[in-house]
Amino acid sequence: MKMHTTKQSLGAALAGERRQGRTIGFVPTMGALHEGHVSLMRRARGENAVVVASIFVNPLQFAPTDDLARYPRSLEADAALAAEAGVDHLFAPEVAEMYPHGSIATRVDVGPIGDIGEGAWRPGFFAGVATVCCKLFHIVAPDRAYFGQKDAQQLAVIRQLVADLDLPLEIVGCPTVREPDGLALSSRNTYLDPEARRAAPALAAALMAARDAAASGEESAEELRWTVKTCLEAEPGIRLQYVDLFDADSFSARERLDGRGILAAAAYVGGTRLIDNVDVVPAALPAEVRGR
Ligand code: PAF
């Protein structure tokens, strides 16, 4: 695996790969890699001749009150994991390489999807994600880019970005990887102390209880929210911030489950904010659509 810290070095290496007609798969990350990231890299490895991953903790997607300085950084261990997962080129630029003037004036405005769900609690977050992904897509020029379903709204924002701006790449969504007790893998799990780690799987369990209620015929978003809230009342270590139902394709907010949906939530576990989501499918959908 070749490490690059400059756009120029990565660009030169990828120009050579492209000249030979090799397809490029890209996995953008913020580092602190775990098995979830590794699953994206392996998928990219299986579907492309060349695999590029990036590690860049993007300041544009952190609010001033957020944990940018504290965000876990572990470049050496990350590089070892990426190499083992079959990455050919690892791009790990400093902030000054991506934003030579400290920041940039231009932002990608993602419209209403940026103001609901996660966006309602983290203003500007999705503009920051879309802006850095737009830059990275131009720098890497991949044929495919891989994103986890764990960040379902981010995946929807990136799909919208690529469609709206006619960016010439395919976006591949990949399943959430979970611990055996159900906790979705996340770089932020490293913040959990033993008590918080014990409590954390209750978020996934509550979402899965609501998913089961939907499968048994419950279609009201209010009732599905109530199921999640009630389950979490039994776990004092978790403070739910929101739980909402979204359309699985457009990610617009829904009050009724009238097609495939995503039930997404954020919660504080100790001092750590975790997000998770599950697919919810109405019992009334034909079996072939339900099993999709
Ligand atoms: O999901 C992430 O790690 C980040 O939001 C991404 C897509 C790498 C953009 O900074």
Side-chain angles (χ1 to χ4, degrees), residues 28-268:
T29 81
M30 298 209 298
L33 301 183
H34 50 66
E35 277 305 311
H37 297 112
V38 168
S39 73
L40 305 182
M41 291 168 181
R42 293 222 173 95
R43 174 92 181 258
R45 177 73 284 159
E47 296 179 353
N48 302 276
V50 178
V51 178
V52 180
S54 63
I55 293 181
F56 180 62
V57 183
N58 171 36
L60 292 194
Q61 64 192 78
F62 287 79
T65 50
D66 270 356
D67 53 357
L68 173 63
R70 210 181 135 230
Y71 196 83
R73 289 165 170 85
S74 49
L75 187 55
E76 233 176 86
D78 288 350
L81 267 184
E84 198 175 317
V87 170
D88 300 300
H89 298 275
L90 184 62
F91 180 48
E94 295 289 335
V95 172
E97 177 69 9
M98 292 294 280
Y99 306 127
H101 308 293
S103 189
I104 50 172
T106 307
R107 292 285 187 286
V108 177
D109 178 354
V110 300
I113 194 174
D115 299 327
I116 58 173
E118 276 298 285
W121 294 92
R122 304 180 70 186
F125 171 71
F126 287 116
V129 169
T131 303
V132 79
C133 285
C134 210
K135 276 175 77 81
L136 289 166
F137 292 162
H138 281 107
I139 293 165
V140 177
D143 297 279
R144 301 184 187 90
Y146 296 80
F147 291 84
Q149 182 67 34
K150 151 80 170 37
D151 298 299
Q153 188 170 1
Q154 170 171 278
L155 176 58
V157 165
I158 298 297
R159 287 194 197 285
Q160 176 190 288
L161 167 79
V162 164
D164 285 356
L165 300 187
D166 292 314
L167 302 182
L169 74 154
E170 180 192 341
I171 299 301
V172 183
C174 303
T176 301
V177 179
R178 296 183 182 277
E179 299 281 7
D181 62 10
L183 176 66
L185 296 195
S186 162
S187 302
R188 288 188 167 86
N189 291 354
T190 57
Y191 298 149
L192 300 173
D193 64 23
E195 174 49 25
R197 176 63 189 82
R198 183 205 56 73
L203 178 59
L207 287 167
M208 287 173 194
R211 183 192 59 189
D212 293 347
S216 308
E218 185 53 70
E219 292 188 351
S220 152
E222 194 46 51
E223 290 297 324
L224 297 175
R225 280 194 286 265
W226 181 86
T227 302
V228 172
K229 284 177 192 159
T230 311
C231 286
L232 288 180
E233 271 163 21
E235 180 45 79
I238 297 195
R239 185 165 52 84
L240 184 67
Q241 189 176 48
Y242 74 84
V243 53
D244 280 314
L245 178 66
F246 301 95
D247 178 78
D249 295 319
S250 66
F251 219 88
S252 53
R254 282 281 183 272
E255 278 311 311
R256 276 215 93 66
L257 183 62
D258 46 12
R260 295 175 58 79
I262 291 176
L263 195 65
Y268 280 93

